[in-house]
Amino acid sequence: MSHRRETLVLEYPAHELSGRPSPEQWLETFHARLKERGLKSTAQRDEIAKAFYRMGRHVSAEELYGEVKQSNSHVGYATIYRTLKLLKECELVSERHFDEGQARYEVFGERHHDHFICERCGRIIEFESTQIERLQQAIAHEIGATLTRHKVELYGFCRDCRGTENK
Amino acid sequence: MSHRRETLVLEYPAHELSGRPSPEQWLETFHARLKERGLKSTAQRDEIAKAFYRMGRHVSAEELYGEVKQSNSHVGYATIYRTLKLLKECELVSERHFDEGQARYEVFGERHHDHFICERCGRIIEFESTQIERLQQAIAHEIGATLTRHKVELYGFCRDCRGTENK
DNA sequence: CTAGTTGCAAATGTTTTGCACAAAC
DNA sequence: GTTTGTGCAAAACATTTGCAACTAG
């Protein structure tokens, strides 16, 4: 009996993302979903979407605002938030609330994964676990509930920050 | 080989809480921890702590403020927040951030449990799973991290709200 | 007495909204 | 030409803080 891999740790730098559509495909999908909803494509929406995609994972509205400002100094915070909301509605982005004040956003529709967050350096490591997925379904079944989504977050000290806790 | 129970669903109404100290014990502990820290016990702190304890689980600052106002109309929001922060520091209360804007608080130090949150009616069901606990440790080990805390949240439709999704 | 606590109002940080002007379809 | 989108400033929230008056130890 083969030993199937149940847990997979994924830690990619922003420039090395797997399982993603190309930026062009992604933007096209955005345009299509906007059209479906009778909404318009605009230069700002494209800029924001592209900047977001380029930045990789776990981006805050503030960070995105900063990035977009670099190329186009004339976007307002409001448009950032409005576009992020749109991208959520178009199911291209998902919103996460880690234990900070602000929300973070990531490209949606990749394989489901969960997060480890280092409490010292803020590093976020992603992982997938089919066992955890299965267990969650089992628990939902026991409760008598239907699951729409779920969230597993581990907090602690990462490899590099272990042993520096008391510094 | 016996079939050990791995998952336990806990759903208590506020008036039927298990594994808790008595309100008096709890308040005494609060007093003791304040003293340790060179801080004072006051009428307000007691009132807030008692109201909190009485209200049961998953209380927001707003709800607690409302409750305290009933008996003593002269507490400010600031004192609610300051006392909640104190209770956290005294490890008598823990703070949770579900996917709402506001934080929710619960009595700390009971057995670790996780939450299912119904997206229709807001009901929160707690459960414990030793398997999930073990898996999380295994994942932390694989990442090379030390875990300080973790969080599992399931979202969906509860028993009573299933089938009413499209109403 | 004196350090710690309170209530208020004002400040904060994040996100949302109203509105007049501008741009897409 | 409508309808939708934008930028700005103001509003809306949840939470925190400064400060003068107050109170527990």
Short mmCIF file of all heavy atoms in Angstrom, two decimals, chain B residues 40 42 44-45 74-75 79 82, chain C residues 2-9:
data_model
loop_
_atom_site.label_atom_id
_atom_site.label_comp_id
_atom_site.label_asym_id
_atom_site.label_seq_id
_atom_site.Cartn_x
_atom_site.Cartn_y
_atom_site.Cartn_z
N LYS B 40 -5.88 47.67 40.55
CA LYS B 40 -6.94 47.75 41.55
C LYS B 40 -8.23 47.06 41.11
O LYS B 40 -8.54 47.02 39.92
CB LYS B 40 -7.24 49.21 41.86
CG LYS B 40 -6.08 49.90 42.55
CD LYS B 40 -6.26 51.39 42.64
CE LYS B 40 -5.07 52.03 43.33
NZ LYS B 40 -5.07 53.50 43.22
N THR B 42 -12.18 47.39 41.06
CA THR B 42 -13.14 48.49 41.19
C THR B 42 -14.55 47.97 40.95
O THR B 42 -14.72 46.87 40.41
CB THR B 42 -12.86 49.60 40.16
OG1 THR B 42 -13.12 49.08 38.85
CG2 THR B 42 -11.43 50.09 40.24
N GLN B 44 -16.67 49.05 38.79
CA GLN B 44 -16.91 48.91 37.35
C GLN B 44 -16.35 47.61 36.81
O GLN B 44 -17.02 46.90 36.06
CB GLN B 44 -16.27 50.06 36.58
CG GLN B 44 -16.99 51.39 36.72
CD GLN B 44 -16.39 52.22 37.84
OE1 GLN B 44 -15.95 51.67 38.86
NE2 GLN B 44 -16.39 53.53 37.68
N ARG B 45 -15.13 47.31 37.19
CA ARG B 45 -14.50 46.09 36.68
C ARG B 45 -15.30 44.87 37.09
O ARG B 45 -15.52 43.95 36.30
CB ARG B 45 -13.06 45.99 37.19
CG ARG B 45 -12.17 46.97 36.47
CD ARG B 45 -10.73 46.94 36.89
NE ARG B 45 -10.01 47.94 36.11
CZ ARG B 45 -8.77 48.34 36.36
NH1 ARG B 45 -8.09 47.83 37.36
NH2 ARG B 45 -8.21 49.25 35.59
N HIS B 74 -23.94 54.32 34.04
CA HIS B 74 -22.82 55.25 34.01
C HIS B 74 -21.47 54.64 33.64
O HIS B 74 -20.44 55.06 34.16
CB HIS B 74 -22.69 55.97 35.35
CG HIS B 74 -22.98 57.42 35.23
ND1 HIS B 74 -22.02 58.35 34.90
CD2 HIS B 74 -24.13 58.11 35.32
CE1 HIS B 74 -22.57 59.54 34.83
NE2 HIS B 74 -23.85 59.42 35.09
N VAL B 75 -21.44 53.64 32.79
CA VAL B 75 -20.15 53.13 32.32
C VAL B 75 -19.93 53.60 30.90
O VAL B 75 -20.87 53.68 30.11
CB VAL B 75 -20.10 51.58 32.29
CG1 VAL B 75 -19.56 51.03 33.57
CG2 VAL B 75 -21.46 51.02 31.96
N THR B 79 -14.30 52.04 29.22
CA THR B 79 -14.09 51.13 30.35
C THR B 79 -14.39 49.69 29.95
O THR B 79 -13.71 48.76 30.40
CB THR B 79 -14.94 51.57 31.55
OG1 THR B 79 -14.66 52.95 31.81
CG2 THR B 79 -14.61 50.76 32.79
N ARG B 82 -11.35 48.71 28.00
CA ARG B 82 -10.20 48.58 28.88
C ARG B 82 -10.31 47.34 29.76
O ARG B 82 -9.32 46.63 29.99
CB ARG B 82 -10.04 49.85 29.72
CG ARG B 82 -9.49 51.02 28.88
CD ARG B 82 -9.05 52.20 29.73
NE ARG B 82 -10.15 53.10 30.02
CZ ARG B 82 -10.14 54.43 29.83
NH1 ARG B 82 -9.08 55.01 29.32
NH2 ARG B 82 -11.17 55.17 30.14
P DT C 2 2.36 61.93 48.34
OP1 DT C 2 3.70 61.70 48.92
OP2 DT C 2 1.99 63.24 47.77
"O5'" DT C 2 2.10 60.80 47.25
"C5'" DT C 2 2.11 59.43 47.66
"C4'" DT C 2 1.50 58.57 46.56
"O4'" DT C 2 0.06 58.45 46.76
"C3'" DT C 2 1.68 59.12 45.13
"O3'" DT C 2 1.99 58.02 44.31
"C2'" DT C 2 0.31 59.70 44.80
"C1'" DT C 2 -0.59 58.70 45.53
N1 DT C 2 -1.99 59.11 45.85
C2 DT C 2 -2.91 58.13 46.03
O2 DT C 2 -2.67 56.95 45.92
N3 DT C 2 -4.18 58.59 46.33
C4 DT C 2 -4.58 59.90 46.48
O4 DT C 2 -5.73 60.18 46.77
C5 DT C 2 -3.54 60.89 46.27
C7 DT C 2 -3.87 62.34 46.40
C6 DT C 2 -2.30 60.46 45.96
P DA C 3 2.86 58.20 42.94
OP1 DA C 3 4.30 58.30 43.23
OP2 DA C 3 2.18 59.25 42.15
"O5'" DA C 3 2.59 56.80 42.25
"C5'" DA C 3 2.52 55.61 43.03
"C4'" DA C 3 1.32 54.78 42.58
"O4'" DA C 3 0.09 55.42 42.98
"C3'" DA C 3 1.24 54.62 41.06
"O3'" DA C 3 0.91 53.28 40.77
"C2'" DA C 3 0.15 55.59 40.64
"C1'" DA C 3 -0.77 55.59 41.86
N9 DA C 3 -1.51 56.84 42.03
C8 DA C 3 -1.05 58.12 41.83
N7 DA C 3 -1.95 59.05 42.08
C5 DA C 3 -3.07 58.32 42.46
C6 DA C 3 -4.36 58.72 42.86
N6 DA C 3 -4.74 60.00 42.94
N1 DA C 3 -5.25 57.75 43.19
C2 DA C 3 -4.85 56.47 43.12
N3 DA C 3 -3.67 55.98 42.77
C4 DA C 3 -2.82 56.96 42.45
P DG C 4 0.71 52.72 39.31
OP1 DG C 4 1.33 51.38 39.26
OP2 DG C 4 1.07 53.80 38.37
"O5'" DG C 4 -0.87 52.53 39.26
"C5'" DG C 4 -1.51 51.77 40.28
"C4'" DG C 4 -3.00 51.90 40.09
"O4'" DG C 4 -3.41 53.26 40.37
"C3'" DG C 4 -3.47 51.60 38.67
"O3'" DG C 4 -4.67 50.87 38.80
"C2'" DG C 4 -3.71 52.98 38.07
"C1'" DG C 4 -4.21 53.73 39.28
N9 DG C 4 -4.07 55.18 39.24
C8 DG C 4 -2.96 55.94 38.91
N7 DG C 4 -3.17 57.23 38.99
C5 DG C 4 -4.50 57.33 39.40
C6 DG C 4 -5.30 58.48 39.65
O6 DG C 4 -4.99 59.66 39.57
N1 DG C 4 -6.60 58.12 40.04
C2 DG C 4 -7.06 56.83 40.18
N2 DG C 4 -8.32 56.67 40.55
N3 DG C 4 -6.33 55.76 39.94
C4 DG C 4 -5.06 56.08 39.56
P DT C 5 -5.59 50.48 37.58
OP1 DT C 5 -6.20 49.17 37.89
OP2 DT C 5 -4.84 50.71 36.34
"O5'" DT C 5 -6.75 51.58 37.69
"C5'" DT C 5 -7.68 51.49 38.77
"C4'" DT C 5 -8.90 52.32 38.43
"O4'" DT C 5 -8.53 53.72 38.40
"C3'" DT C 5 -9.50 52.01 37.06
"O3'" DT C 5 -10.89 51.78 37.26
"C2'" DT C 5 -9.20 53.23 36.22
"C1'" DT C 5 -9.09 54.33 37.27
N1 DT C 5 -8.20 55.48 36.93
C2 DT C 5 -8.69 56.76 37.09
O2 DT C 5 -9.82 57.00 37.47
N3 DT C 5 -7.80 57.75 36.77
C4 DT C 5 -6.50 57.61 36.33
O4 DT C 5 -5.81 58.59 36.08
C5 DT C 5 -6.05 56.24 36.18
C7 DT C 5 -4.66 55.96 35.68
C6 DT C 5 -6.91 55.24 36.49
P DT C 6 -11.82 51.45 36.05
OP1 DT C 6 -12.85 50.53 36.54
OP2 DT C 6 -10.98 51.12 34.89
"O5'" DT C 6 -12.49 52.87 35.82
"C5'" DT C 6 -13.39 53.37 36.80
"C4'" DT C 6 -13.87 54.74 36.39
"O4'" DT C 6 -12.72 55.60 36.26
"C3'" DT C 6 -14.57 54.74 35.03
"O3'" DT C 6 -15.94 55.03 35.24
"C2'" DT C 6 -13.89 55.85 34.24
"C1'" DT C 6 -12.95 56.52 35.22
N1 DT C 6 -11.62 56.85 34.67
C2 DT C 6 -11.23 58.15 34.60
O2 DT C 6 -11.94 59.08 34.95
N3 DT C 6 -9.96 58.36 34.11
C4 DT C 6 -9.07 57.40 33.68
O4 DT C 6 -7.97 57.70 33.26
C5 DT C 6 -9.54 56.03 33.78
C7 DT C 6 -8.67 54.91 33.34
C6 DT C 6 -10.77 55.83 34.26
P DG C 7 -16.98 54.71 34.13
OP1 DG C 7 -18.25 54.34 34.79
OP2 DG C 7 -16.39 53.82 33.12
"O5'" DG C 7 -17.14 56.15 33.48
"C5'" DG C 7 -17.69 57.22 34.24
"C4'" DG C 7 -17.59 58.50 33.43
"O4'" DG C 7 -16.19 58.79 33.21
"C3'" DG C 7 -18.25 58.40 32.05
"O3'" DG C 7 -19.09 59.53 31.90
"C2'" DG C 7 -17.08 58.39 31.07
"C1'" DG C 7 -15.95 59.05 31.84
N9 DG C 7 -14.62 58.51 31.55
C8 DG C 7 -14.28 57.19 31.38
N7 DG C 7 -13.01 57.00 31.16
C5 DG C 7 -12.46 58.28 31.20
C6 DG C 7 -11.12 58.71 31.03
O6 DG C 7 -10.11 58.03 30.81
N1 DG C 7 -11.00 60.10 31.14
C2 DG C 7 -12.04 60.95 31.39
N2 DG C 7 -11.73 62.24 31.46
N3 DG C 7 -13.30 60.56 31.54
C4 DG C 7 -13.44 59.22 31.44
P DC C 8 -20.16 59.59 30.75
OP1 DC C 8 -21.37 60.18 31.35
OP2 DC C 8 -20.22 58.29 30.04
"O5'" DC C 8 -19.52 60.66 29.75
"C5'" DC C 8 -19.11 61.94 30.25
"C4'" DC C 8 -18.00 62.50 29.39
"O4'" DC C 8 -16.81 61.70 29.53
"C3'" DC C 8 -18.30 62.48 27.89
"O3'" DC C 8 -18.68 63.79 27.47
"C2'" DC C 8 -16.98 62.06 27.24
"C1'" DC C 8 -16.01 61.97 28.41
N1 DC C 8 -15.04 60.87 28.25
C2 DC C 8 -13.67 61.18 28.24
O2 DC C 8 -13.31 62.35 28.36
N3 DC C 8 -12.77 60.17 28.11
C4 DC C 8 -13.19 58.90 27.98
N4 DC C 8 -12.27 57.95 27.86
C5 DC C 8 -14.58 58.57 27.98
C6 DC C 8 -15.46 59.58 28.11
P DA C 9 -19.24 63.96 25.95
OP1 DA C 9 -20.48 64.74 26.04
OP2 DA C 9 -19.22 62.67 25.23
"O5'" DA C 9 -18.09 64.87 25.33
"C5'" DA C 9 -16.98 65.30 26.12
"C4'" DA C 9 -15.73 65.40 25.25
"O4'" DA C 9 -14.94 64.18 25.38
"C3'" DA C 9 -16.01 65.56 23.76
"O3'" DA C 9 -15.02 66.41 23.21
"C2'" DA C 9 -15.90 64.13 23.23
"C1'" DA C 9 -14.76 63.61 24.09
N9 DA C 9 -14.72 62.15 24.23
C8 DA C 9 -15.78 61.26 24.25
N7 DA C 9 -15.42 60.00 24.40
C5 DA C 9 -14.04 60.06 24.50
C6 DA C 9 -13.06 59.07 24.67
N6 DA C 9 -13.34 57.77 24.78
N1 DA C 9 -11.77 59.46 24.72
C2 DA C 9 -11.49 60.78 24.60
N3 DA C 9 -12.32 61.80 24.43
C4 DA C 9 -13.60 61.37 24.39
#
